[in-house]
Amino acid sequence: MAIKNVLLEIGTEEIPSRFIPDALNNLKASAGEALNANRIEFKDINTYATPRRLVLMISDVSDAQSEVVELLKGPPLTAAYDSEGNPTRAALGFAKNRGVDVNDLIETEDAKGVKYIAAEIKQESKATLEVLPELLRGLIENLNFPKNMYWNTSKVRFARPIRWIVALADDKVIEFEYANVKSGRVTAGHRFMGRRAIEIDDAAKFMDLLYDNKVILDQEKRLQKLKSSILNLKKDFAGNFEVEMDPKILEENLYLVEFPVPFIGSFDERYLEIPEEVLTTSMKKNQKYLAVRNLDKGGKLANYFVGVSNNLVADMGVIREGNERVLRARLEDAAFFWDEDRKRPLASYTERLKSVTYQEKLGSVYDKVMKTQKLALWLCEKLGKSSDSALVERAAFLSKADLVTNMVFEFTDLQGVMGEQYALASGENPRVALAIREQYLPQTASDAAPTDDIGAILGMAERLYTITACHKVGLEPTGSQDPYGLRRAARCINEILWARNYDLDINEAIAQACVINEVDDKTREKIDAFISQRLLMQLKEKGYDHELASLAISVIGSVPRQTLKLIEALTKVKDESWFTELVSSAVRVRNILQKNANLIKAAQEPDEALMVKEPERYLFNEINRLAEPVKDALKSYDWHGLTQLLAELSPVVASFFEDVMVIDPDEKIRDNRIALLVKCNNLFKEVGDLGSLKLQK
């Protein structure tokens, strides 16, 4: 009879909310892998979590492992027995190694008809209850978290101390021990509103018993309750207000509570004079509050917030007042910083950057700013934005000034945001102020790019500086380690180039950054390769074929915007018959030339007088006709025109191979045809190594 429910609950001290989503995914994936590896059939796996528990529930589990008979192939039959039919040393050795009697070996035959001896190995089938203790223990042991801790003599490392373990197969305890904690059937309810010890007589009753003790175990149901409770609060607002349902804040709160109890708090309206980003950062990051918008004032921030308590008390006013008091203290600090920082112009803070170390081998942040400024001015000219050079120069000079203000020192996430605000307060040009904030965009793959040239140029300049400077002192990424975010920097440069439609030669920009940072040529070549590899990865992430992406990079990889345009054009035609035929022809050309490399004569031009067949004369003339138009299309970035030219060439090359035998008995004709293929291959190379593509049918 199948086991209806297998339950594993890991009861802990409160686990940080940011650890939980990944832990749930890993637990579910590991459980599936472990069950399959142990040949235990099941219907569903579900994982749940609150701050105090990680739970695995498996339904309809087979009561025993499935039987498996594995056929292990041995030596060929001819080598397994001698002429008298006796087993040879090869057969005896194979049987011994596989733990079977030599007389139990069987004959088998492979797909090619070759006969072999083989051993049938039947894997033992154990009862599921015998397998589960070690399986469940292993699942706990294999859980990983960003940070772990020790807490007792077991030396086990886990996100937080494990206080209890529930392990049940229906009504039976699955007995094992982990971290000096023995598994059992006793769980705990809500820390404040539930019983400390709850005995589970059957796994099927587990969730209901927890709910009776104010624990909503299913995070989806907990989220539904959280959202509906927040919406119910709306009636308590006097005006036309709307709670900002930030999904990140909702998820954080979801894993901070076992029974969500939202409440409304407020703060003094005078704090609304502080920039909105300061208020929302303080509310969201520090307190996990949801902001409230005043719809009657165009969606501006209101002096309310919604917090989420983990405790339903008789007087929620006590909870509200306590949270208001904490927020008031933070906002009072913010108001003080806002007033103090504005007592001097933003430009005066740049000098302070001389005392702030960027990296011990690279000097101060001020040094970085000055070099970034030089690079930004160079980019300004290269991109044809010389009219903005004065604004770019000023924005670069002010770009990191806010790092040494009181506000950013306290709220580091506000770098750039406060720079913009302080620049405006200092009377700086609004485009300069905007650039100070937009230099950090995009921050993620889905983030928006800068909306103005000043911020875009400044952002690229800083990232180019960072990539080249870090490579100079040996801080390039290794494996999964990238402490200075160079991979992200390279990604952001490309995203800006694509979004702003800049045709920048990235290799030329890297070379200029290397000059400014005094980077040697060998390191520069390494940086070029790094940038090219990042571009390839980004194109693949966009869903483009690896071969097409590599081809596009080989043609115009130094100009990322045009690389993207080229791969878009190639993708449109890659499945058309003429293109696959052209690729097949390119492969044949390359293979013939490689096989007959000894026949290739340097700088030999094909002689039309030696062309005895029409297809070879036709190919010769078409190559000559298309050579200049192909170069013009490449030079003008006319990728649609290029594909049209290739479409014209494709049937001509195909016709050549249908009617012409390259290796002709006549040596002169043969060598002339080899020279023609060299000429054809040179044209192919203009548009990349077509012969490397694996698209042919």
Side-chain angles (χ1 to χ4, degrees):
M1 181 181 292
I3 301 168
K4 292 182 179 179
N5 295 288
V6 171
L7 165 67
L8 172 66
E9 179 191 35
I10 310 162
T12 67
E13 297 296 331
E14 278 76 359
I15 297 174
S17 59
R18 68 183 186 278
F19 292 4
I20 294 178
D22 284 345
L24 286 178
N25 292 334
N26 293 338
L27 181 58
K28 185 172 184 176
S30 297
E33 291 171 4
L35 290 166
N36 289 328
N38 282 277
R39 311 188 315 280
I40 298 174
E41 296 178 359
F42 61 92
K43 182 180 179 182
D44 290 315
I45 297 177
N46 290 292
T47 51
Y48 308 99
T50 75
R52 298 182 69 204
R53 65 198 82 221
L54 297 171
V55 175
L56 169 72
M57 298 189 76
I58 313 167
S59 65
D60 294 341
V61 181
S62 62
D63 58 3
Q65 294 175 308
S66 58
E67 288 189 358
V68 172
V69 178
E70 188 176 5
L71 191 66
L72 302 177
K73 192 169 70 173
L77 189 63
T78 53
Y81 299 98
D82 60 22
S83 58
E84 297 178 1
N86 298 314
T88 63
R89 292 180 62 184
L92 293 169
F94 172 71
K96 182 179 180 181
N97 289 336
R98 298 306 179 186
V100 298
D101 190 282
V102 70
N103 295 318
D104 292 331
L105 295 176
I106 64 172
E107 293 182 14
T108 186
E109 188 176 298
D110 66 12
K112 296 180 180 179
V114 179
K115 293 184 177 181
Y116 290 83
I117 61 168
E120 285 187 338
I121 307 297
K122 183 179 290 186
Q123 296 189 26
E124 180 185 359
S125 176
K126 294 182 180 179
T128 298
L129 288 175
E130 292 182 48
V131 179
L132 284 176
E134 191 58 33
L135 187 153
L136 295 184
R137 187 185 186 283
L139 293 179
I140 305 175
E141 190 172 30
N142 290 330
L143 278 172
N144 290 311
F145 301 91
K147 290 184 180 179
N148 295 293
M149 61 183 293
Y150 299 105
W151 65 92
N152 62 18
T153 57
S154 71
K155 298 300 181 182
V156 163
R157 300 175 74 242
F158 207 74
R160 289 296 183 268
I162 296 175
R163 297 307 187 199
W164 74 88
I165 297 173
V166 173
L168 296 174
D170 291 335
D171 59 348
K172 297 180 179 63
V173 173
I174 303 168
E175 296 183 358
F176 63 91
E177 184 176 324
Y178 187 74
N180 293 342
V181 178
K182 292 183 178 180
S183 62
R185 61 172 73 248
V186 178
T187 186
H190 191 282
R191 187 180 288 280
F192 308 115
M193 299 184 290
R195 285 187 288 154
R196 292 190 176 183
I198 306 166
E199 186 168 318
I200 312 297
D201 58 13
D202 193 294
K205 301 177 182 179
F206 177 67
M207 293 183 76
D208 289 339
L209 284 169
L210 284 182
Y211 187 81
D212 292 342
N213 283 270
K214 295 297 187 286
V215 176
I216 303 176
L217 179 63
D218 187 329
Q219 52 270 12
E220 291 302 321
K221 293 181 179 179
R222 198 161 67 248
L223 180 60
Q224 290 172 10
K225 176 173 174 51
L226 174 58
K227 288 181 176 180
S228 62
S229 298
I230 290 172
L231 292 175
N232 286 336
L233 291 174
K234 197 171 182 180
K235 64 181 184 296
D236 297 328
F237 287 115
N240 188 15
F241 297 101
E242 184 176 80
V243 180
E244 190 178 274
M245 304 291 265
D246 186 321
K248 290 183 179 179
I249 302 302
L250 286 172
E251 183 175 85
E252 283 195 74
N253 277 291
L254 180 66
Y255 293 117
L256 285 171
V257 301
E258 294 196 309
F259 191 90
V261 185
F263 61 90
I264 300 171
S266 64
F267 53 88
D268 197 309
E269 283 190 86
R270 68 185 177 88
Y271 293 123
L272 293 176
E273 297 174 7
I274 303 171
E276 181 179 297
E277 292 89 349
V278 176
L279 300 179
T280 55
T281 296
S282 185
M283 284 192 286
K284 293 180 179 181
K285 184 175 181 182
N286 300 116
Q287 305 304 126
K288 318 304 179 192
Y289 298 151
L290 294 162
V292 177
R293 301 281 173 184
N294 189 335
L295 299 183
D296 290 334
K297 294 185 178 181
K300 287 187 176 181
L301 197 68
N303 62 317
Y304 295 104
F305 65 88
V306 171
V308 182
S309 173
N310 190 37
N311 192 10
L312 180 61
V313 298
D315 184 5
M316 287 300 293
V318 175
I319 300 289
R320 184 189 68 250
E321 290 170 7
N323 280 269
E324 288 176 344
R325 188 165 52 250
V326 172
L327 181 60
R328 189 183 309 121
R330 288 194 170 275
L331 295 184
E332 193 60 38
D333 286 344
F336 174 77
F337 297 149
W338 173 239
D339 291 337
E340 284 297 305
D341 288 340
R342 288 182 298 150
K343 287 181 179 179
R344 53 190 299 177
L346 180 61
S348 67
Y349 289 96
T350 298
E351 187 72 17
R352 291 187 181 182
L353 297 174
K354 291 180 178 178
S355 61
V356 181
T357 301
Y358 169 60
Q359 204 280 333
E360 58 182 6
K361 295 180 181 179
L362 296 173
S364 67
V365 174
Y366 182 86
D367 295 329
K368 176 185 177 184
V369 166
M370 292 299 102
K371 290 180 178 179
T372 297
Q373 186 183 62
K374 290 181 181 178
L375 190 51
L377 288 171
W378 181 88
L379 285 172
C380 197
E381 182 180 350
K382 274 292 169 184
L383 293 171
K385 308 292 180 182
S386 297
S387 60
D388 289 330
S389 60
L391 297 179
V392 168
E393 184 174 24
R394 186 63 175 171
F397 180 76
L398 298 173
S399 60
K400 303 301 175 187
D402 66 340
L403 297 183
V404 288
T405 62
N406 293 299
M407 188 75 81
V408 176
F409 183 81
E410 178 69 18
F411 302 103
T412 55
D413 285 356
L414 292 176
Q415 62 179 1
V417 172
M418 295 315 302
E420 178 185 33
Q421 295 292 334
Y422 291 144
L424 291 171
S426 300
E428 298 289 345
N429 185 295
R431 291 182 70 194
V432 169
L434 179 64
I436 296 172
R437 176 166 61 84
E438 290 198 337
Q439 67 178 307
Y440 296 101
L441 299 179
Q443 294 183 342
T444 64
S446 59
D447 205 358
T451 61
D452 187 80
D453 290 328
I454 313 300
I457 290 170
L458 180 57
M460 288 193 297
E462 185 194 359
R463 292 174 176 99
L464 285 166
Y465 164 83
T466 302
I467 291 170
T468 52
C470 287
H471 274 84
K472 174 185 177 181
V473 295
L475 297 175
E476 63 266 26
T478 56
S480 61
Q481 301 300 311
D482 187 11
Y484 285 84
L486 304 192
R487 294 189 183 102
R488 184 173 66 253
R491 168 187 290 278
C492 289
I493 291 171
N494 289 331
E495 293 291 350
I496 292 171
L497 293 173
W498 291 333
R500 300 295 302 168
N501 294 321
Y502 294 151
D503 281 334
L504 176 71
D505 188 318
I506 196 69
N507 290 345
E508 192 177 347
I510 289 292
Q512 182 63 24
C514 287
V515 170
I516 291 172
N517 283 305
E518 300 177 346
V519 175
D520 60 63
D521 289 343
K522 186 176 180 180
T523 303
R524 178 182 56 76
E525 291 172 2
K526 185 189 294 186
I527 297 170
D528 286 342
F530 167 76
I531 293 291
S532 180
Q533 181 62 24
R534 300 322 303 166
L535 176 58
L536 175 63
M537 295 303 297
Q538 278 179 269
L539 293 174
K540 288 171 65 178
E541 288 168 8
K542 285 180 174 290
Y544 293 112
D545 291 333
H546 176 88
E547 290 84 7
L548 282 182
S550 298
L551 181 71
I553 289 172
S554 72
V555 175
I556 192 67
S558 63
V559 186
R561 176 173 176 259
Q562 293 305 325
T563 311
L564 182 60
K565 294 290 184 183
L566 174 55
I567 198 172
E568 288 172 350
L570 291 174
T571 300
K572 287 181 180 179
V573 302
K574 73 181 181 69
D575 293 325
E576 293 186 16
S577 58
W578 71 261
F579 189 74
T580 54
E581 287 176 2
L582 185 66
V583 170
S584 297
S585 297
V587 171
R588 291 188 69 178
V589 169
R590 188 174 65 168
N591 290 344
I592 290 171
L593 293 178
Q594 287 177 347
K595 189 175 181 180
N596 298 279
N598 60 310
L599 301 178
I600 299 174
K601 298 176 182 178
Q604 180 182 349
E605 181 70 14
D607 184 352
E608 192 170 5
L610 292 173
M611 298 178 186
V612 296
K613 289 199 172 186
E614 183 62 27
E616 58 183 322
R617 288 194 294 271
Y618 190 20
L619 176 60
F620 176 70
N621 292 329
E622 281 297 286
I623 292 173
N624 287 332
R625 182 181 71 84
L626 295 173
E628 285 304 314
V630 165
K631 288 181 180 179
D632 290 341
L634 290 165
K635 188 176 180 180
S636 61
Y637 303 149
D638 180 8
W639 308 121
H640 175 67
L642 179 65
T643 57
Q644 287 185 318
L645 294 172
L646 293 177
E648 293 176 26
L649 179 63
S650 180
V652 181
V653 185
S655 176
F656 172 85
F657 282 116
E658 286 176 7
D659 298 335
V660 178
M661 184 174 67
V662 176
I663 308 303
D664 193 88
D666 187 314
E667 186 176 320
K668 289 184 178 181
I669 293 176
R670 178 201 65 191
D671 290 349
N672 196 58
R673 288 173 179 170
I674 290 291
L676 179 58
L677 291 188
V678 169
K679 190 177 182 69
C680 183
N681 197 47
N682 289 338
L683 181 60
F684 285 152
K685 287 180 179 178
E686 291 284 337
V687 291
D689 188 2
L690 290 171
S692 68
L693 297 180
K694 299 175 182 177
L695 304 173
Q696 61 267 28
K697 295 178 180 178

